[in-house]
C-alpha cells in the first residue's frame, strides 16, 4: 500500500512540474513577443528619423550619409525603370491626372478623358516586318498599305487573290468604305479612313459576297463629337478627342 502512495505522489509531483514548465514557457513566449514589439517600434522610429533627415538635408547632408543616400536614389531610379518595363510589356501607360492604366496608343485616358502625351514608337526590324519604300517605316507583313503614309506595300504572291478568284484565307477584316483589308482579328477600324471594319467570311472556291458579310458588334459606344466607335465596354472616353462616349 505504501508503494502505491509513493507512486501517486511522484505522479502528482511530475504533473505539477509539467504544468509549471508549460506556464513558464507561455510566459517566456509572451515576454519575447513584447520584446519583438518594442524592437519593431524602435526600428520604425529609426526609419522615420531617416526619412525626416533625408527630407530636410537630402541635398546638404554630411559626408557620412552621402553614400547611403546615393544608394537610395539609385534604387528609386531602378524601381521606376522596372515599373516602366512592366507597363511596356502590358502595353499601357499611367495617366498623369488620375493614375489609371491607359493603352499605349490612346490619345486620351479611358477613365477621366485627360489628353495623353504622344509617344513616338521605336521602329525596329524583324522577320515579320517590311520596310516602306516611301517613308522608310517598317510595316507588318501582309498589310496592303503602309500604316504611316498609306503607300501601297508589295504583296506576297502566296497570300494574294489568284486569277481564278479564289482566296487563300477563310476570313478577314475589310473596310466597307475604302476596301482596305487586314488579317489581324484585333483590327476594328480601318488604318486608312477610320471606318469600322467588318468581318468577311468566304470558302476557298469563291470570293466573299455581300450575303457573307457579317457585322461583328451588336452594341457599340459612339463619340457624339467625332463619330469614333468602339465595342470595348471599359472605354468611357473617346481616344481621338476625349469626349465622353455614349452607348449606341
Amino acid at each position: 500500500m505504501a508503494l502505491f502512495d509513493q507512486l501517486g505522489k511522484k505522479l502528482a509531483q511530475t504533473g505539477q512540474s509539467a504544468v509549471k514548465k508549460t506556464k513558464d514557457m507561455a510566459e517566456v513566449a509572451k515576454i519575447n513577443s513584447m520584446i519583438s514589439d518594442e524592437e519593431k517600434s524602435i526600428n520604425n522610429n529609426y526609419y522615420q528619423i531617416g526619412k525626416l533627415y533625408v527630407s530636410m538635408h537630402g541635398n546638404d547632408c554630411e559626408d557620412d550619409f552621402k553614400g547611403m543616400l546615393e544608394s537610395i536614389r539609385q534604387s528609386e531610379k531602378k524601381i521606376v525603370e522596372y515599373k516602366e518595363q512592366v507597363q511596356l510589356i502590358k502595353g499601357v501607360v499611367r495617366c498623369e491626372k488620375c493614375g489609371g492604366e491607359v493603352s499605349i496608343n490612346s490619345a486620351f485616358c479611358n477613365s477621366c478623358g485627360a489628353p495623353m502625351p504622344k509617344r513616338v514608337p521605336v521602329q525596329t526590324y524583324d522577320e515579320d516586318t517590311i520596310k516602306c519604300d516611301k517613308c522608310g517605316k517598317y510595316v507588318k507583313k501582309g498589310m496592303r498599305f503602309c500604316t504611316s503614309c498609306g503607300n501601297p506595300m508589295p504583296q506576297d504572291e502566296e497570300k494574294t487573290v489568284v486569277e481564278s478568284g479564289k482566296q487563300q484565307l477563310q476570313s478577314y477584316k475589310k473596310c466597307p468604305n475604302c476596301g482596305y483589308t487586314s488579317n489581324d482579328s484585333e483590327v476594328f477600324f480601318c488604318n486608312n479612313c477610320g471606318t469600322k471594319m467588318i468581318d468577311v467570311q468566304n470558302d476557298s472556291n469563291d470570293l466573299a459576297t455581300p450575303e457573307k458579310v457579317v457585322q461583328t458588334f451588336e452594341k457599340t459606344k459612339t463619340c457624339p463629337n467625332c463619330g469614333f466607335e468602339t465595342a470595348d465596354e471599359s472605354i468611357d472616353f473617346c481616344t481621338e478627342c476625349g469626349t465622353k462616349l455614349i452607348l449606341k
Side-chain angles (χ1 to χ4, degrees), residues 164-178:
S164 61
K166 296 180 180 180
Q167 194 165 3
Q168 299 288 334
L169 299 176
Q170 296 297 317
S171 63
Y172 58 95
K173 298 273 189 176
K174 183 176 181 179
C175 173
N177 182 41
C178 68

Side-chain angles (χ1 to χ4, degrees), residues 65-80:
F65 296 97
K66 288 183 178 180
M68 289 183 284
L69 288 175
E70 181 60 27
S71 178
I72 291 174
R73 294 190 183 99
Q74 291 298 325
S75 294
E76 290 175 341
K77 183 179 179 181
K78 288 180 180 179
I79 290 173
V80 172

Side-chain angles (χ1 to χ4, degrees), residues 8-63:
K9 289 180 180 180
K10 287 184 178 181
L11 290 174
Q13 290 174 356
T14 301
Q16 292 175 357
S17 177
V19 171
K20 185 177 183 303
K21 286 184 178 180
T22 301
K23 289 182 178 180
D24 290 344
M25 292 178 63
E27 187 68 19
V28 169
K30 180 180 178 181
I31 295 173
N32 284 333
S33 177
M34 294 168 64
I35 292 173
S36 178
D37 290 341
E38 294 302 324
E39 289 176 342
K40 289 179 181 178
S41 177
I42 291 172
N43 289 333
N44 181 62
N45 286 327
Y46 277 133
Y47 173 74
Q48 297 299 331
I49 290 171
K51 288 188 66 177
L52 181 60
Y53 177 84
V54 171
S55 65
M56 296 175 62
H57 305 286
N59 297 323
D60 58 349
C61 63
E62 290 84 351
D63 293 339

Side-chain angles (χ1 to χ4, degrees), residues 3 5 18 47 53 68-69 74 76 109 112 116 126 129 132 169-170 183 194 223 233 244-245 248:
L3 177 62
D5 290 339
Y47 173 74
Y53 177 84
M68 289 183 284
L69 288 175
Q74 291 298 325
E76 290 175 341
C109 176
C112 69
M116 298 298 295
D126 56 47
T129 60
C132 173
L169 299 176
Q170 296 297 317
N183 300 327
C223 175
E233 296 181 357
K244 186 172 180 61
L245 300 176
K248 188 175 180 180

Side-chain angles (χ1 to χ4, degrees), residues 2 6 19 56 67 78 84-85 99 103 109 147 174 191 194 201 204 221 235 242:
Q6 291 178 357
V19 171
M56 296 175 62
K78 288 180 180 179
E84 289 179 349
Q85 290 177 18
S103 174
C109 176
T147 54
K174 183 176 181 179
N191 287 337
Q201 297 179 350
S204 59
K221 288 185 176 181
I235 297 179

